[in-house]
Amino acid sequence: MANSKLNQTLGEFIIENQASFKYTSGELSRLINSIRLAAKVVNHEVNKAGLVDIIGNAGDTNIQGEDQQKLDVYANDKFIQTMTKRNIVCGIASEEEDDFIAINSQDENNQNKYVVLIDPLDGSSNIDVNVSVGTIFSIFRRVTPVGTPVTIDDFLQKGNQQVAAGYVVYGTSTMLVYTTGHGVNGFTLNPAIGTFYLSHPDMEFPEDGRIYSVNEGNYIHFPKGIKDYIKYCQMEEGDRPYTSRYIGSLVSDFHRNMIKGGIYMYPKSSLNAKGKLRLLYECNPMAFLAEQANGKASDGFTRIMDIEPTELHERVPFICGSKNMVEKAEEFMRNAE
Ligand code: P6P
């Protein structure tokens, strides 16, 4: 993309690229626009979290058994309200909701074709310590007949069926990064005027990198292949040892690795037999972005986007980032089998 596109607004970009999207009904454009709006609203609260009584626990737990942070609940409500009020989608699944939400399911005139799966505020436990957090979203076309209530089948689709995916990173600046299958583009919010501007066109993972991101506190619980790969990263040989960087916020670690080159791992362990990250609204969207950015994403053996989902909140081991680094980690996993 020519740099002349830099500083194009997200709105202009969506309109200009709508024609490249095979389902040019404009519905997806409206959906991305609604996510943009909700992101600005959530960003406003995240950025002042320390000032108002909106940090800390909401006094409830989600289906994962995790304490719901007040901002988790706030972000969840804002994204769901924004998409529901605009009558753009026919169903929503969220990390913060036990079951999926059917939108206008009694209205046979509901011709909406898209379902959205979302982690409204990933890494929210970092908010109290002023560390970046993110929103992650995944968009599919429904597979059940338009005009009928959505079913679980509309949500349990393989990641290779996604029509769009992206994240918002609420960091030193707030960025919206997304793909509709034609590459990955990053937009930075100018908070003074509330407009996202194209700042990172055609984002790509360098094929190699020197950053590895994993919670090494769990090292003794990791499978042998992961332990062997971590030791490989730490060995003095060639361009190694690599640098260890782990923010504890998937979106932030992913974003940095995509720009600088690197690998993120949340493997299975003796503590978490399937790892910690959720397939549908964390791993699939990040995997779609990774592959669109010349990177790779697997569970150590299988391409994330080829995994057949079986339940809404299922977890999978997740290895993602620079292609050559992921393939090296997969080699260690295979050899340790
Ligand atoms: P741990 C945040 O809770 C999250 O889902 C990811 O954003 C992050 O990378 C990971 O979990 C951190 O988990 O077990 O290392 O604290």
Side-chain angles (χ1 to χ4, degrees):
M1 178 179 295
N3 281 347
S4 60
K5 294 297 180 190
L6 278 177
N7 291 325
Q8 186 177 37
T9 69
L10 175 55
E12 291 164 338
F13 182 90
I14 290 171
I15 291 167
E16 187 172 287
N17 289 277
Q18 180 170 296
S20 68
F21 186 64
K22 56 186 173 183
Y23 311 108
T24 54
S25 68
E27 203 173 328
L28 183 70
S29 300
R30 288 168 51 224
L31 177 46
I32 300 288
N33 269 315
S34 69
I35 290 171
R36 167 178 63 157
L37 175 61
K40 287 195 270 191
V41 173
V42 171
N43 175 65
H44 181 67
E45 286 305 309
V46 166
N47 281 347
K48 63 178 184 178
L51 297 177
V52 295
D53 178 28
I54 198 160
I55 57 176
N57 289 354
D60 200 351
T61 57
N62 61 19
I63 188 169
Q64 332 290 343
E66 296 169 340
D67 290 338
Q68 284 187 308
Q69 304 291 320
K70 288 178 182 173
L71 263 179
D72 280 337
V73 175
Y74 177 83
N76 186 54
D77 293 349
K78 284 303 164 196
F79 275 97
I80 291 174
Q81 279 168 19
T82 306
M83 287 187 281
T84 304
K85 264 195 312 198
R86 281 161 183 71
N87 188 24
I88 303 171
V89 298
C90 52
I92 300 173
S94 168
E95 184 200 34
E96 301 303 327
E97 301 287 338
D98 294 359
D99 201 354
F100 64 83
I101 301 168
I103 311 285
N104 298 335
S105 57
Q106 302 314 317
D107 173 5
E108 63 185 20
N109 298 316
N110 176 349
Q111 296 302 302
N112 297 334
K113 299 184 285 293
Y114 295 109
V115 295
V116 180
L117 299 97
I118 190 165
D119 183 354
L121 208 60
D122 180 71
S124 55
S125 57
N126 288 318
I127 284 174
D128 298 5
V129 294
N130 208 12
V131 169
S132 300
V133 293
T135 296
I136 307 170
F137 61 90
S138 172
I139 302 172
F140 291 88
R141 287 171 69 81
R142 67 181 301 173
V143 293
T144 53
V146 170
T148 65
V150 287
T151 73
I152 189 65
D153 294 339
D154 292 305
F155 298 91
L156 297 184
Q157 298 185 54
K158 285 185 180 180
N160 58 32
Q161 296 303 304
Q162 290 175 98
V163 294
Y167 59 81
V168 183
V169 51
Y170 308 98
T172 45
S173 63
T174 295
M175 283 190 69
L176 191 154
V177 178
Y178 81 100
T179 183
T180 58
H182 301 277
V184 176
N185 290 284
F187 300 80
T188 300
L189 178 67
N190 178 339
I193 57 175
T195 300
F196 281 100
Y197 287 93
L198 179 61
S199 53
H200 295 68
D202 299 322
M203 298 183 82
E204 286 210 338
F205 274 95
E207 291 211 336
D208 292 293
R210 299 191 60 256
I211 296 171
Y212 70 100
S213 308
V214 66
N215 184 341
E216 294 193 56
N218 297 327
Y219 179 85
I220 56 166
H221 302 295
F222 286 152
K224 182 178 184 314
I226 292 290
K227 288 179 178 174
D228 293 345
Y229 178 67
I230 290 173
K231 286 307 168 200
Y232 169 84
C233 292
Q234 296 170 342
M235 196 185 295
E236 189 160 24
E237 183 182 45
D239 63 346
R240 287 172 284 126
Y242 295 154
T243 295
S244 173
R245 286 284 183 277
Y246 191 69
I247 299 172
S249 178
L250 167 61
V251 169
S252 302
D253 281 315
F254 179 98
H255 189 76
R256 180 209 51 247
N257 289 349
M258 181 159 61
I259 292 171
K260 296 194 169 195
I263 185 171
Y264 171 96
M265 299 182 286
Y266 209 104
K268 71 177 184 180
S269 73
S270 50
L271 298 174
N272 298 306
K274 301 279 281 179
K276 174 183 182 184
L277 301 185
R278 294 80 170 180
L279 172 60
L280 295 186
Y281 41 79
E282 289 176 331
C283 299
N284 268 338
M286 301 311 271
F288 191 18
L289 288 162
E291 292 196 6
Q292 285 291 312
N294 190 39
K296 196 166 182 182
S298 77
D299 64 2
F301 301 95
T302 306
R303 179 184 180 230
I304 288 289
M305 293 208 285
D306 289 341
I307 295 175
E308 185 79 52
T310 55
E311 56 184 36
L312 211 48
H313 299 287
E314 74 180 84
R315 300 171 193 264
V316 291
F318 190 55
I319 297 176
C320 175
S322 294
K323 188 178 298 185
N324 294 342
M325 296 182 85
V326 173
E327 289 176 354
K328 177 59 79 174
E330 289 171 339
E331 182 187 321
F332 277 99
M333 294 289 283
R334 278 194 307 275
N335 294 342
E337 280 297 288

